[in-house]
Amino acid sequence: MSAMISIQNVNKWYGDFQVLTDCSTQVAKGEVVVVCGPSGSGKSTLIKCVNALEPFQKGEIIVDGISVGAPKTNLPKLRARVGMVFQHFELFPHLTITDNLTIAQTKVLGRSKEEAMEKGLMYLDRVGLKAHAHKHPGQLSGGQQQRVAIARALAMDPVAMLFDEPTSALDPEMINEVLDVMTELAQEGMTMMCVTHEMGFARRVAHRVIFMDKGHIVEDCDKESFFGSPRSERAQQFLSKILQH
Amino acid sequence: MNYNWDWGVFFKSTGVGQEIYLDWFVSGLGWTIAVALVAWIIALILGAVLGVMRTVPNRLVAGIATAYVELFRNVPLLVQLFIWYFLVPDYLPEGLQTWFKQDLSPATSAYVSVVVCLGLFTAARVCEQVRTGIQALPRGQAYAGLAVGFNLVQVYRHVLLPQAFRIIIPPLTSEFLNVFKNSSVASLIGLMELLAQTRQTAEFSANIFEAFTLATLIYFVLNMSLMVFMGWVERRVRVPGLMVGGK
Amino acid sequence: MDFSQIVPALPALMEGMVVTLKLLVMAVLGGVVLGTFIALGRLSSNAFLSGLAKAYVNYFRSIPLLLVIIWFYLAVPMLLNWITGDFVPVGAFASCLVAFMMFEAAYYAEIVRAGIQAISRGQVNAAYALGMTYGQAMRLVILPQAFRKMLPLLLQQSIILFQDTSLVYAVGLMDFLNSARSRGDILGQPHEFLIFAGAVYFVISYCASYIVKRLQKRLVV
C-alpha cells in the first residue's frame, strides 16, 4: 500500500512552547487511523497540520504526493482534495444546507450549479437528511449538523478525510448517528485520520491507533496490540481511565 | 419683548423670488439626504475594506488600517472638513484644481468636499464595527472556509463578511443615523442643507422657534424612517435558527 | 508650508485652548450630573418620570449637536428676556455651555443607565435590607460601583465632546479652532494654522484615548 498521508519528523512551536516534537507516521490509502490522547497532547494540532490550517516549523508532511510545507504549494487546491470535519461542525450558519453543500464545489472546484447540487443532494441523502435541504444549520440538531458537515466534505470528492473530535461537542444520544456515518465511510475504503476519544469506534473500525502525549507520538501500532498490550505506561493509564466509562 | 408666534410662517413668501419658506426646507432636506447617502456608500465600502485589513495576518496591512482609524477618529470632523474644503484643493494637480475652483458651482464644490470628508470620517467608524464583527465569529469558521479549499479572499467574501455584517447591523444603524446628523456641518462651508436653511429661515422671518421646531421634527422623522428601514433590512437578512449577536 | 508664524501666535492660541477646555470641563461636569438624574428617571418605576426621561434622551439623540448649538444661541437670550422681562446679554459661551450640557446629558444618561443596570439587583436589596432609603442606596452603594464600571465609557464620550467643542465655530465663539483659523487668516497662512490645529486636537485626543484604554484594562483586571 502506498502512503496517502506521510508525516515526517514534524516539529511545531508556539513561541518558545513546543507543541509537537518529532512526530512521524503514515496513513496508507484506504487505511483508518485513530489518533487519541489526553487533552493538550497535540493531536488536534497535528491533524490541522495535515491540511496546513496550522503551520509547522520543521519536518515534512506529504499528502497524495504533494508537500504541505513547501512554499510553492497551492494550499487551497490541496485542501480541496482533503475533507475535514470539525469538533463544532463549522457549517456556514448564514447559508442554507444546500448552499453549504454546493458553495465550495462551485467556487473552488468550478463545477456547474446543477452538478454541484446533484452531488450535494446525493451525499445529503446518504447521511439521511435530504428532507432538511432548505433549512439553515441553526435549525438542525448537533448530530444532524455534523452529518451535513461530513456530506459537505464528501461532496468535494476528497482523497482522504480528517476528523477533528467529530463527536465531542455532541449530546450522548447523537454520537452514534455520526459514528454510523463514519463507520460506513470506512467500510467503503475511505482513507481516514480521526482524532477521537470514541474507543468503541476505534476498536470496531480502525486499522491503527496512534497515542499522543505532550506533543510526542507515544504509541503507533495496529489496534489489536494497542488495546491488547499498550507498551507505554501513559497509554495504559489513558486507556484504563477512558474504558471505565 | 413681544414674540409673534406664527405657525403659518412656512407658507409665507421669503421675499426671494416666488419661494415660500417651506421650499427652503424641502430643498435643504434634499441636500442633507444627498450628502448623507453618498457619504454612507463611501463609508460602507471603504470601512469594509479597512475592517478586513485590520483582521488579516499581515502586520503592515493591519498597521495601515489602524493608522487610518486613529487619524480619522482623533481629529474633529469640522477640522477635517476645513482641510478638505480649504486646503486640499490648493494641492490638487493643475487641471483638477481649475475644475474644482472655477468650473464647479460653489454649492457643488462644497458638496464634493463634504461628501468626501464625511465618507472618509465615517469609514473609520464602520471599519471598527466590521473588525469587531469579524472577530466575534468563532475561529473555526475561518478554518472551515480554508479547509474546503477557499483562498483568503473567498473566506472573507463567502464566510466571514456575510456573518459579520449581520452581527453588526445594530451598531451600523446608529452610524447610519450619525451620517445624517453629521452632514449638518456642511452648513459651515455654505452648503444650504437642512440646518443652513433653518438658520436662514430663523434669521429672515424672526420666527426662531417655529423654524427650529420644524427642523427638529424633520430630523426626528428622518431618524425614525431610517430606523424602520434598517429594521426591515435586519429582518430580511435574518437567518433562521441563528442567534444574531449571540455567542 | 511655513510654520514659523505659529510660535509668536501661541499666546493667542493658548487663550483659545483655555476657552475650549473651560467649556469642556464645565459641560462634562454638568452633563454627567444632569445625565445621572435622567438615568435615574428612566429607571424609575414612575411611568410619567421614566417616559419623560426617555423622551428627553430620544429627542437629543435624534438631532444634530450643531442644530442645538445654533438654536440655543438664538433662543437662550430670548427666553431669558421673557423670564426676566429685560434684555440680558448672555453671550456665545453661556449659550454653548447650556447646549453642550443638555445635549451630552442625553448620551451620558444612557451610559449611566447601563452602568446602574449592570449592578446586581442583590446590591439594591442588601442596601434596603440595611434600612437605607432609595437616595442612600443610590448614593452610597449603587452609584459608586456603577461609576467605577462606566468611567472608561464616560471618558470616551468626553473625548468625543472635546472634539465636538470645535463646532462652536458656528456661533463665532473664540475657541481653539476658531482662534487658529482667525490668526491664520490675519497672517495669511490659513493652511499652516489649520494643520497645526488639527495636529493639536489629534495629539490630545490620541493620548487621552490611550490613557482611557490603559485605565480600562486596569479596571477589568
Side-chain angles (χ1 to χ4, degrees), chain B residues 146-196:
Chain B
L146 291 170
V148 298
F150 284 150
N151 58 37
L152 202 57
V153 175
Q154 288 173 316
V155 169
Y156 274 102
R157 194 172 114 75
H158 298 302
V159 180
L160 300 181
L161 282 176
Q163 294 183 58
F165 268 109
R166 284 178 170 86
I167 297 177
I168 61 171
I169 285 178
L172 273 190
T173 302
S174 80
E175 286 307 332
F176 191 30
L177 303 185
N178 280 341
V179 173
F180 280 84
K181 287 183 268 176
N182 284 336
S183 70
S184 60
V185 293
S187 66
L188 299 181
I189 57 167
L191 186 70
M192 291 309 280
E193 46 66 77
L194 186 53
L195 180 56

Side-chain angles (χ1 to χ4, degrees), chain C residues 86-187:
Chain C
D86 47 21
F87 185 73
V88 198
V90 275
F93 185 86
S95 82
C96 283
L97 180 59
V98 174
F100 278 115
M101 261 169 47
M102 295 190 64
F103 184 85
E104 293 298 324
Y107 286 80
Y108 287 128
E110 286 300 278
I111 297 173
V112 175
R113 180 172 70 111
I116 292 175
Q117 281 176 325
I119 305 294
S120 81
R121 185 71 210 162
Q123 287 288 311
V124 185
N125 290 338
Y128 285 155
L130 290 171
M132 289 188 192
T133 62
Y134 171 81
Q136 288 171 321
M138 278 299 160
R139 208 175 64 242
L140 303 173
V141 179
I142 306 304
L143 287 178
Q145 295 183 58
F147 270 109
R148 188 163 308 178
K149 279 197 183 172
M150 64 205 179
L151 189 62
L153 281 179
L154 290 174
L155 290 175
Q156 264 165 23
Q157 182 62 34
S158 305
I159 294 170
I160 296 172
L161 174 57
F162 167 66
Q163 297 183 20
D164 284 346
T165 54
S166 60
L167 293 173
V168 300
Y169 171 85
V171 296
L173 185 61
M174 274 293 166
D175 74 326
F176 178 64
L177 176 61
N178 209 358
S179 54
R181 268 197 56 74
S182 68
R183 281 281 135 171
D185 280 344
I186 293 167
L187 297 170

